[in-house]
């Protein structure tokens, strides 16, 4: 069985256009990356999704990935980051591992690997499975080289405690045994990734949807800004201070209510037959 890292052997010749280059990278590394994600998570659906998400990101940022000194390492880092994200624990589909391998040794190895903390699990996979040296493993896990070495030693000690054949051997021999056993694990589920064309199509469709959503959001913000500019006041209007009583005089807060006497006099005035302007300007006759 092939090791969980990128297959050994000559790399494909760089194709001429972006589509061919992306498809070549996908065909070269996707299957191995799915296997790595499965060893990190024990979940087939999460492993496949991690690889698809990473390659969709790579296709969306293809000029950056194509000029990177290690395009496989770029995608691998994205796969591992997504696969080990703590948010997956809240998704029902990713809470429990899949059916364990049929072989007893493979099942013990996978259970022991999944029992490690995520950062230790990733360190073991990169150093023992993929075959990176200690500085490159430290760089990919964003840690110092001494810290990565301590993580590796603690992870090896825990694996040796859970896997009897790894106990009582030298660290070099233990690392070689882990590389052989990680490469020989036979999962009980299929890990076949989808075609590269499908991943590209999904990535482009999502990019179009995000572009349309961004245009709609921009239009809404522009309309809201224009409406606010038209309807907002253009000068400051100080608020009216509330009334306050002065020396027992009630504050002025509008016309007072008519008392019974005032209402009686008002009705009498309106009913007087001599009502009219001449009452205000009397003339002598």
């Amino acid at each position: 069985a092939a090791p969980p890292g990128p297959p050994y052997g000559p790399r494909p010749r760089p194709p001429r256009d972006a589509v061919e280059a992306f498809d070549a990278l996908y065909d070269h590394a996707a299957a191995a990356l799915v296997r790595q994600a499965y060893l990190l998570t024990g979940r087939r659906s999460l492993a496949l999704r991690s690889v698809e998400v990473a390659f969709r990101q790579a296709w969306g940022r293809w000029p950056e990935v194509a000029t990177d000194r290690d395009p496989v390492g770029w995608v691998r880092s994205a796969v591992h980051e997504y696969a080990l994200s703590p948010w997956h624990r809240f998704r029902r589909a990713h809470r429990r591992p899949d059916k364990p391998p049929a072989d007893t040794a493979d099942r013990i190895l996978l259970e022991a690997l999944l029992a490690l903390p995520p950062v230790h699990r990733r360190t073991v996979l990169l150093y023992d499975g993929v075959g990176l040296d200690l500085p490159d493993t430290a760089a990919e896990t964003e840690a110092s080289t001494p810290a990565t070495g301590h993580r590796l030693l603690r992870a090896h000690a825990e694996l040796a405690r859970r896997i009897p054949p790894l106990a009582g051997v030298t660290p070099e021999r233990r690392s070689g045994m882990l590389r052989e056993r990680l490469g020989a694990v036979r999962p009980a589920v299929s890990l076949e990734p989808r075609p590269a064309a499908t991943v590209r199509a999904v990535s482009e469709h999502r990019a179009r949807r995000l572009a349309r959503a961004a245009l709609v959001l921009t239009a809404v913000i522009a309309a809201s800004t224009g409406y606010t500019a038209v309807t907002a006041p253009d000068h400051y209007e100080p608020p009216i201070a509330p009334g306050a009583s002065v020396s027992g005089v009630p504050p002025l807060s509008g016309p007072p209510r008519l008392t019974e006497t005032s209402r009686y006099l008002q009705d009498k005035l309106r009913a007087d037959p001599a009502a009219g302007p001449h009452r205000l300007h009397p003339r002598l006759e």
Side-chain angles (χ1 to χ4, degrees), residues 82-236:
Y82 185 88
L84 295 177
S85 173
W87 296 106
H88 298 312
R89 71 183 66 176
F90 299 107
R91 301 185 61 182
R92 181 177 301 178
H94 301 326
R95 288 180 183 175
R96 296 182 179 179
D98 293 341
K99 181 181 178 181
D103 186 76
T104 305
D106 292 346
R107 183 169 62 253
I108 294 175
L109 174 62
L110 186 59
E111 291 176 354
L113 193 64
L114 295 177
L116 297 175
V119 65
H120 292 186
R121 199 183 315 158
R122 186 180 181 185
T123 301
V124 169
L125 181 65
L126 290 173
Y127 185 81
D128 298 318
V130 178
L132 300 183
D133 58 14
L134 198 59
D136 288 342
T137 302
E140 191 154 326
T141 56
E142 298 181 351
S144 64
T145 302
T148 303
H150 288 301
R151 289 174 180 173
L152 193 63
L153 291 176
R154 289 195 294 267
H156 280 185
E158 180 64 19
L159 290 176
R161 189 181 67 83
R162 293 174 175 270
I163 305 173
L166 297 180
V169 298
T170 62
E172 294 78 9
R173 177 57 181 160
R174 183 179 298 161
S175 182
M177 292 175 62
L178 280 172
R179 175 173 298 187
E180 294 175 2
R181 298 196 61 173
L182 288 172
V185 171
R186 291 172 295 179
V189 292
S190 174
L191 299 179
E192 186 67 25
R194 293 200 291 180
T198 304
V199 176
R200 278 191 290 101
V202 173
S203 177
E204 293 168 359
H205 177 67
R206 288 173 61 88
R208 287 192 295 268
R209 289 179 57 187
L210 290 176
R212 287 195 294 266
L215 290 176
V216 171
L217 181 61
T218 302
V220 170
I221 293 175
S224 302
T225 304
Y227 176 79
T228 303
V230 172
T231 59
D234 56 357
H235 61 279
Y236 175 71

Side-chain angles (χ1 to χ4, degrees), residues 37-50:
Y38 175 78
L39 292 175
L40 286 175
T41 62
R43 297 162 176 84
R44 172 184 178 273
S45 59
L46 181 55
L48 293 172
R49 179 169 178 80
S50 300

Side-chain angles (χ1 to χ4, degrees), residues 8 17 21 23 26 40 59 66 86 94 105 157 163-164 176 185 201 205 243 259 265 270 285:
Y8 297 104
D17 60 4
D23 291 354
Y26 187 90
L40 286 175
W59 181 239
H94 301 326
I163 305 173
V185 171
H205 177 67
T259 63
L265 294 176
R270 289 176 177 174
E285 294 183 358

Side-chain angles (χ1 to χ4, degrees), residues 15-42:
R16 289 174 296 179
D17 60 4
V19 173
E20 291 181 358
F22 176 84
D23 291 354
L25 177 64
Y26 187 90
D27 295 339
H28 172 69
L33 292 175
V34 171
R35 182 180 177 85
Q36 293 176 28
Y38 175 78
L39 292 175
L40 286 175
T41 62

Side-chain angles (χ1 to χ4, degrees), residues 266-279:
Q266 186 183 56
D267 295 341
K268 182 179 179 180
L269 182 62
R270 289 176 177 174
D272 195 301
H278 56 275
R279 290 189 60 197

